[in-house]
Amino acid sequence: MTHTSRDLGGHAKAWLAVAMGWAAGYIDVCGWLVLAHVYTAHMTGNTVSLGVDMAQGDWTQALHHGWPILAFLGGLLFSAMTAGVSRRREVRSSFAIALGTEVVLLAVFIYAGTQLRIAENPKEVSTEALLFLIAVLAASLGMQTVSVTRINGLRVYTTYLTGSLSKFAEAVTDYVLWFHDRTHGRFVRRIGKVLRVTPRQRCAQHAALTGGLWIFYFAGAVCGASMEHRYALMALLAPLVVLVCATFIDLKWPVMAADEPRNKIRLPKDND
């Protein structure tokens, strides 16, 4: 499969990733506020809470924290499978399939949650309805997690901040060492040139991207908490618009950029 000028370039893809990070932070905090303080993107926290709940014999809370892990995993598998099948069939806009499904699930969550008035009366919602809403939101965020995964040679996940912070630290370390090697013993003569070429250094680009993912996720959480307080679940229309725009971007300029691995798998023919 060849790459064309219609592919979304690395810089544009980075901006799309941080925008989706903003949407993920926004959705995650809104879900936490209305879904019995259960995170629908933060599976590390859910796993730890599940362990605590089981150790204490609190099986109701264990269900609340264990259920989103299964739903999130389902979303991951769906997104990864659609991407893999799309590559085999040479469908260029595979990103739009997973993201379009996420849009549908988020719309279902907004509608169902509004009908149940979960933001206004969370204690009156049945356990079954609560688990349904948790599954819908967790699955949608799982789908997003493996949609944009490689940018300028770096693997990233728009809902996984621990990994982003780890890669940020690695990239900053690489940049500091590179900067030291280029300016050691000749700082005054070299500093101007080194700073000019910094934006082209991959370690600097990776630091900017991973740091930006954290900043935008945090900004999304702040916006989500503020807007949910004012508009309840209707506040989720903001990240929904972002995801719809990202879906159309992929249909116009496939997000699977030039540095995305695209190994074609040759299947045996009947006469082989």
Side-chain angles (χ1 to χ4, degrees):
M1 185 182 298
T2 59
H3 305 289
T4 73
S5 60
R6 290 188 64 246
D7 287 328
L8 193 67
H11 284 87
K13 192 175 180 182
W15 281 109
L16 180 64
V18 296
M20 291 177 60
W22 178 89
Y26 193 121
I27 296 169
D28 194 22
V29 76
C30 285
W32 184 84
L33 288 171
V34 303
L35 297 176
H37 290 182
V38 172
Y39 287 107
T40 49
H42 186 45
M43 295 304 113
T44 302
N46 284 331
T47 300
V48 172
S49 296
L50 174 62
V52 173
D53 296 334
M54 293 181 66
Q56 296 178 346
D58 190 341
W59 302 111
T60 299
Q61 286 301 312
L63 179 61
H64 287 169
H65 290 116
W67 179 242
I69 298 174
L70 294 176
F72 190 86
L73 178 60
L76 290 173
L77 292 171
F78 176 84
S79 187
M81 183 62 70
T82 55
V85 173
S86 296
R87 288 194 185 99
R88 286 191 172 194
R89 299 185 177 182
E90 301 188 359
V91 176
R92 300 182 58 74
S93 296
S94 60
F95 172 78
I97 300 173
L99 207 57
T101 307
E102 181 185 3
V103 167
V104 171
L105 290 180
L106 186 57
V108 169
F109 178 83
I110 294 172
Y111 175 79
T114 300
Q115 294 299 308
L116 293 168
R117 300 180 61 83
I118 189 170
E120 295 84 0
N121 302 299
K123 294 183 179 180
E124 296 182 7
V125 176
S126 67
T127 300
E128 294 77 10
L130 178 63
L131 292 177
F132 170 76
L133 292 174
I134 289 174
V136 168
L137 207 58
S140 70
L141 288 170
M143 292 174 189
Q144 179 180 324
T145 300
V146 291
S147 53
V148 179
T149 57
R150 190 179 296 274
I151 303 173
N152 291 334
L154 179 68
R155 184 168 292 278
V156 298
Y157 301 99
T158 57
T159 67
Y160 179 47
L161 291 187
T162 303
S164 293
L165 289 175
S166 298
K167 292 179 180 180
F168 174 76
E170 294 172 357
V172 168
T173 299
D174 290 342
Y175 175 75
V176 169
L177 294 175
W178 172 85
F179 185 90
H180 174 269
D181 293 341
R182 297 301 184 278
T183 59
H184 182 64
R186 42 186 177 167
F187 183 85
V188 176
R189 290 184 291 113
R190 297 281 295 176
I191 181 62
K193 182 178 180 180
V194 169
L195 291 178
R196 284 195 299 272
V197 301
T198 286
R200 299 199 297 269
Q201 298 305 308
R202 179 156 288 193
C203 55
Q205 294 173 354
H206 289 177
L209 173 59
T210 51
L213 284 170
W214 184 90
I215 292 171
F216 273 73
Y217 198 100
F218 173 74
V222 173
C223 293
S226 175
M227 298 300 284
E228 193 279 333
H229 178 71
R230 296 182 181 182
Y231 303 107
L233 293 186
M234 287 296 103
L236 286 169
L237 291 176
L240 183 67
V241 169
V242 172
L243 296 174
V244 169
C245 291
T247 303
F248 280 106
I249 286 173
D250 184 58
L251 293 174
K252 179 68 175 179
W253 301 283
V255 172
M256 196 180 295
D259 60 349
E260 185 80 26
R262 298 183 179 183
N263 298 326
K264 293 176 64 176
I265 301 177
R266 180 178 178 272
L267 299 177
K269 297 181 180 179
D270 292 340
N271 57 356
D272 281 356

